Amino acid sequence: MTGAPMVVAQDVHKYFGSLHALNGVSLEVARGEVLCIIGPSGSGKSTFLRCINQLERADRGAIWIDQELAGFRRVGDALYELTDAETSRQRASIGMVFQRFNLFGHLTALQNIIEGPVTVQHRPRAEAVDEAQTLLERVGLAAKRDAYPSELSGGQQQRVAIARALAMRPKLMLFDEPTSALDPELVGEVLGVMRNLATSGMTMLVVTHELGFAREVSNRVVFMDEGAIVEAGSPQEILVRPQQPRTKDFIAAVLP
Amino acid sequence: MTTTRAEIGGSGGDSSPPSPYSLAHLRHVPRRHTHRWIAAALILLAFGWVVHAFATGQIEWEIVAQFFTARAILLGLVNTVVMTVLAMLLGIVLGVVFAIMFMSPNPVLKWVAWVYIWFFRGTPLMLQLLLWFNLALVFPTIGIPGLFEARTVMVITPFMATLLGLGINQGAYTAEVVRGGILSVDIGQTEAAKAIGMGRLTTLRRIVLPQAMRVIIPPIGNEVISMVKLTSVASVIQFSEILRNAQTIYYANARVIELLIVAAGWYLIVVTLLSIGQYFLELHFAKGAAPTGVRVRAAAARERSI
């Protein structure tokens, strides 16, 4: 974990109508760090994650990815909004895994994985296919390369979705409640893949309700409530000895 | 299962009466469907009567057979089919373009698409055909200044006017069909495409439209079939499609019903062939869809092809 931080968020605000979804979130994520964001639903965790890859635009504040300002170009003291193409280029270096998988329904597992490398990055198809095979093996689904998403279980779909994000060779991976839509017996296989990814040194930002995963795998845990960061620290500090009453209540309610 | 049944049915041994839950001595009696049989018999009777009426009525079937492959009829058929294909292609291209414009974040594009759909859905097709055909009254010459110029009457032939009239009118309807198809694709697909760095148009072309096709094709198929018959409206501007040619013949020989039967026969043949084509097209775009009947057949077809 050396060098400039991978993500710097500075006083990020987001409104949905009158709802103040993000209320001044500031956060740094170091290179290679695995950071879990926990908190009750509606606390703004997912919105914050979506602001990082600009699926939502922050109304106030700024986010830097690898020292590059997200969504704007700075010239002197003026911020110019990026074009759609420039925004797309920024997104391409950030992998995103969704709660509902969002695999492309009309494409097979393999086609899902090579779509980005071939269509967006214009890499040679053969090379992309080779790399996709390797990724499928890495998530334990080499046998499912020609299956359509509708033929896969939720856990398998999510593992293909992780492979699809990794195929873009991202410098940062965002996970938006990756196991929340899964049957309980399928959660383990997805967490297993994420655990391996964490070991490989990938910078990961994980919004999750899996406190066990947060404790074992993450370097740092952030607890959010009502659009703001309430408490941040090591897994021990947040999950075992929380200081803030809201954190304590949440942990007590979630842990059996 | 069997052990359970044995326990319930035969636990008492030989001497005791069979349990009321025993299944061994029961048998299924199929339903008789008496009403279905009666209905079918009545309908067949009515159908037979119609066939008999036409067979013994004042219809010269030899004339029908003779004109079925008459040169004028076949030329009309070719014109009808060619016009259907071209007008539909124009309609689909315009429909996709204007649907995308309508859904664009750019307010100018959105407004242009709205006006297009408003005008061409809001006026009768026949009026539009007449407008195109009489374009020369408004613009005696058309062209790009300095590049080329032509007299409008030479460019706007009945064929051209029909193509523009039918195609542009169709585009307005198809735009709404395509828009509905695009809206039917889950927003998560677009977000996932954005997340791997796809732009708006690439996302539409690679991810959203292919999945929208499943919803778009049945109504488009419907419109193709409708278009086959709409070409006959173009007889008002002297486009010699099949019905107009049939009429020209019966004005001369007074065999009205015979020639209408000839035209009807050809319309039915074309529409039947198109329906078969639509079936295979739907099969193609059912890739990866939820396992419906079409989907299962597609999977079976895929397996056979491997």
Side-chain angles (χ1 to χ4, degrees), chain B residues 279-303:
Chain B
Y279 170 83
F280 284 103
L281 210 59
E282 282 181 25
L283 217 59
H284 174 74
F285 282 105
K287 276 187 309 188
T292 60
V294 169
R295 170 85 187 82
V296 170
R297 284 193 293 275
R302 217 172 45 240
E303 242 134 66

Side-chain angles (χ1 to χ4, degrees), chain A residues 21 26 29 32 35 43 48 53 107 118 131 153 159 181 183 193 195 208-209 216:
Chain A
S26 298
V29 184
L35 187 136
S43 58
F48 178 59
N53 79 342
L107 302 178
V118 172
E131 198 170 313
S153 74
R159 285 187 281 157
D183 291 335
V193 168
R195 196 169 283 132
T208 187
H209 292 294
E216 272 177 66

Side-chain angles (χ1 to χ4, degrees), chain A residues 50 53 55 84 88-89 91-92 94-96 98 102-107 115-116 119-120 148 150-151 164-165 168, chain B residues 186 188-189 191-200 202 205-208 210-211 287-291 295 299 302:
Chain A
R50 291 163 62 84
N53 79 342
L55 287 179
D84 288 350
S88 294
R89 187 186 53 75
R91 285 199 189 106
I94 304 172
M96 176 107 179
F98 298 86
N102 294 347
L103 286 182
F104 304 132
H106 61 307
L107 302 178
E115 182 65 27
T119 310
V120 178
Y148 284 96
S150 61
E151 296 161 345
R164 175 177 68 180
M168 297 296 289
Chain B
D186 186 69
Q189 296 287 310
E191 292 194 340
K194 278 185 183 174
I196 58 170
M198 277 193 190
R200 202 178 96 82
T202 316
R205 185 172 57 83
R206 298 283 309 172
I207 306 299
V208 176
Q211 297 186 77
K287 276 187 309 188
R295 170 85 187 82
R302 217 172 45 240

Side-chain angles (χ1 to χ4, degrees), chain B residues 137-168:
Chain B
L137 299 177
V138 192
F139 307 106
T141 60
I142 50 175
I144 300 168
L147 275 178
F148 77 94
E149 207 170 39
R151 287 180 60 220
T152 306
V153 278
M154 303 305 289
V155 179
I156 304 292
T157 56
F159 181 88
M160 234 10 225
T162 307
L163 176 58
L164 289 172
L166 290 176
I168 292 174

Side-chain angles (χ1 to χ4, degrees), chain B residues 191-303:
Chain B
E191 292 194 340
K194 278 185 183 174
I196 58 170
M198 277 193 190
R200 202 178 96 82
L201 289 180
T202 316
T203 302
L204 272 168
R205 185 172 57 83
R206 298 283 309 172
I207 306 299
V208 176
L209 280 177
Q211 297 186 77
M213 287 307 270
R214 226 161 42 81
V215 178
I216 291 173
I217 285 179
I220 294 270
N222 202 28
E223 309 226 307
V224 172
I225 285 168
S226 170
M227 178 66 82
V228 174
K229 293 163 295 170
L230 267 186
T231 52
S232 64
V233 177
S235 61
V236 294
I237 55 169
Q238 290 132 48
F239 179 62
S240 52
E241 43 69 51
I242 191 163
L243 185 59
R244 182 183 155 85
N245 288 6
Q247 282 179 305
T248 310
I249 297 173
Y250 73 58
Y251 288 146
N253 70 3
R255 297 292 185 182
V256 178
I257 296 297
E258 286 81 354
L259 278 143
L260 289 179
I261 289 174
V262 166
W266 277 117
Y267 279 120
L268 285 172
I269 288 170
V270 170
V271 167
T272 305
L273 291 177
L274 287 172
S275 305
I276 295 170
Q278 181 183 348
Y279 170 83
F280 284 103
L281 210 59
E282 282 181 25
L283 217 59
H284 174 74
F285 282 105
K287 276 187 309 188
T292 60
V294 169
R295 170 85 187 82
V296 170
R297 284 193 293 275
R302 217 172 45 240
E303 242 134 66

